[in-house]
C-alpha cells in the first residue's frame, strides 16, 4: 500500500511538471488580472497554490480519474454493477478503503481555508470537498472503476476533518494561518473573480488530468 502511495505521488509530481503547460499561463493571467485590480498576490500564496495543484493531481491519480484518450480508445460503457448507491455496503469486508478515502481528503480540507479566507466557513470548505469527490465519482461512471457513495461520504468527512485541523492550527499559529491566504493584505477588496480561484484551480487540474496529461504520457 505504501509503495502504491509513493508511486502515485511520484506520478503526481511528473504530471505537475507537465501540467505547467496549462497551469502557468492561467496563473499569469490570474496574477495580471489581480494587479489590474490593484491587488497583490503574495509569493507565499502562489507557493501554496502549487502544492494545492500537486495535491489535486495526486488525488486524481490515486482515485483513477479517466482520461479523454482512454474514453476515445475504449468507448463509453456503463456497468450497473459498478454503481453503488447504498451506504456502507462493503464496510464489513474491509475498512481500510474507508480510512484511506478519509485521509486522502484531509489535506484538501486543510489547504482550502489556509489559502482562501472565503473558505473559512466550514460549510464552504465541506461543499468544495463534496463537489470535488462528486466530480471524481461521476467521471468514473463510464469506466471499470466502482462509483461508490461511500467514497463520496468518506471524502467529504476527510474534508471536514481537514477543516477542523486548520481551525486548531489557526489557534496555535495565527500568523502562519494568514500568511498564505489570498485575502491577506493589499488594501483593496478581493473581487468575485479572484475569490473563484479555488474552483478554477480544480477545473484546471481536472482538465489537465482528463485531456492534456494522457496525450503527453509518452514524453
Amino acid at each position: 500500500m505504501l509503495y502504491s502511495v509513493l508511486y502515485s505521488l511520484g506520478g503526481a509530481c511528473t504530471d505537475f511538471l507537465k501540467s505547467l503547460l496549462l497551469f502557468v499561463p492561467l496563473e499569469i493571467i490570474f496574477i495580471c488580472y489581480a494587479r489590474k485590480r490593484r491587488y497583490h498576490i503574495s509569493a507565499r500564496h502562489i507557493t501554496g497554490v502549487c502544492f494545492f495543484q500537486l495535491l489535486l493531481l495526486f488525488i486524481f491519480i490515486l482515485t483513477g480519474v479517466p482520461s479523454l484518450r482512454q474514453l476515445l480508445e475504449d468507448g463509453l460503457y456503463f456497468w450497473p454493477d459498478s454503481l453503488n448507491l447504498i451506504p456502507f455496503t462493503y464496510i464489513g469486508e474491509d475498512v481500510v478503503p474507508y480510512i484511506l478515502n478519509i485521509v486522502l481528503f484531509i489535506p484538501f480540507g486543510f489547504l482550502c481555508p489556509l489559502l482562501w479566507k472565503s473558505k473559512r466557513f466550514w460549510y464552504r470548505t465541506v461543499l468544495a470537498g463534496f463537489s470535488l469527490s462528486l466530480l471524481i465519482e461521476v467521471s468514473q461512471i463510464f469506466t471499470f472503476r466502482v462509483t461508490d457513495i461511500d467514497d463520496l461520504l468518506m471524502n467529504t468527512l476527510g474534508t471536514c476533518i481537514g477543516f477542523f485541523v486548520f481551525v486548531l492550527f489557526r489557534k496555535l499559529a495565527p500568523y502562519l494561518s494568514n500568511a498564505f491566504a489570498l485575502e491577506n493584505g493589499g488594501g483593496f477588496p478581493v473581487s468575485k473573480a479572484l475569490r473563484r480561484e479555488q474552483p478554477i484551480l480544480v477545473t484546471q487540474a481536472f482538465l489537465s488530468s482528463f485531456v492534456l496529461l494522457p496525450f503527453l504520457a509518452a514524453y
Side-chain angles (χ1 to χ4, degrees), residues 6-77:
L6 292 176
Y7 180 82
S8 298
L9 182 58
C13 292
T14 301
D15 284 354
F16 174 74
L17 295 176
K18 294 178 180 179
S19 73
L20 293 178
L21 292 172
L22 181 59
F23 175 72
V24 170
L26 289 177
E27 193 64 21
I28 291 174
I29 292 173
F30 189 82
I31 293 173
C32 290
Y33 172 79
R35 288 185 175 180
K36 188 176 181 180
R37 302 283 300 189
R38 297 184 178 182
Y39 192 88
H40 173 69
I41 298 180
S42 69
R44 288 186 296 256
H45 179 75
I46 296 174
T47 301
V49 163
C50 290
F51 277 103
F52 186 74
Q53 175 82 354
L54 180 61
L55 172 66
L56 291 173
L57 293 172
F58 176 69
I59 289 175
F60 291 149
I61 290 174
L62 209 59
T63 55
V65 168
S67 67
L68 178 61
R69 182 177 181 178
Q70 174 188 348
L71 295 179
L72 290 176
E73 292 177 352
D74 300 337
L76 297 176
Y77 297 95

Side-chain angles (χ1 to χ4, degrees), residues 34-214:
R35 288 185 175 180
K36 188 176 181 180
R37 302 283 300 189
R38 297 184 178 182
Y39 192 88
H40 173 69
I41 298 180
S42 69
R44 288 186 296 256
H45 179 75
I46 296 174
T47 301
V49 163
C50 290
F51 277 103
F52 186 74
Q53 175 82 354
L54 180 61
L55 172 66
L56 291 173
L57 293 172
F58 176 69
I59 289 175
F60 291 149
I61 290 174
L62 209 59
T63 55
V65 168
S67 67
L68 178 61
R69 182 177 181 178
Q70 174 188 348
L71 295 179
L72 290 176
E73 292 177 352
D74 300 337
L76 297 176
Y77 297 95
F78 174 68
W79 304 91
D81 292 341
S82 67
L83 181 62
N84 175 42
L85 299 178
I86 303 175
F88 308 114
T89 300
Y90 306 108
I91 194 170
E93 299 177 7
D94 189 2
V95 73
V96 173
Y98 290 83
I99 297 175
L100 292 179
N101 276 311
I102 293 173
V103 173
L104 182 62
F105 269 67
I106 289 177
F108 181 86
F110 178 82
L111 286 176
C112 278
L114 179 71
L115 297 175
W116 299 281
K117 287 186 177 180
S118 60
K119 291 292 186 289
R120 293 186 178 181
F121 300 92
W122 69 269
Y123 58 89
R124 290 182 180 176
T125 292
V126 172
L127 179 61
F130 174 85
S131 300
L132 175 60
S133 182
L134 182 63
L135 174 65
I136 295 171
E137 295 304 313
V138 170
S139 72
Q140 293 176 344
I141 289 180
F142 301 102
T143 68
F144 294 100
R145 296 183 67 90
V146 176
T147 299
D148 197 340
I149 192 173
D150 288 346
D151 294 345
L152 183 62
L153 294 175
M154 296 303 103
N155 293 160
T156 304
L157 177 58
T159 303
C160 188
I161 294 173
F163 176 84
F164 287 107
V165 170
F166 169 79
V167 171
L168 178 61
F169 174 74
R170 187 180 182 184
K171 291 181 179 179
L172 297 175
Y175 172 76
L176 284 178
S177 67
N178 290 319
F180 296 88
L182 175 64
E183 297 89 343
N184 182 40
F188 293 89
V190 181
S191 67
K192 290 183 179 180
L194 292 178
R195 288 199 297 267
R196 293 193 182 99
E197 184 184 24
Q198 185 267 332
I200 290 174
L201 287 171
V202 172
T203 303
Q204 183 268 323
F206 183 81
L207 289 177
S208 293
S209 182
F210 184 71
V211 180
L212 177 65
L213 297 177

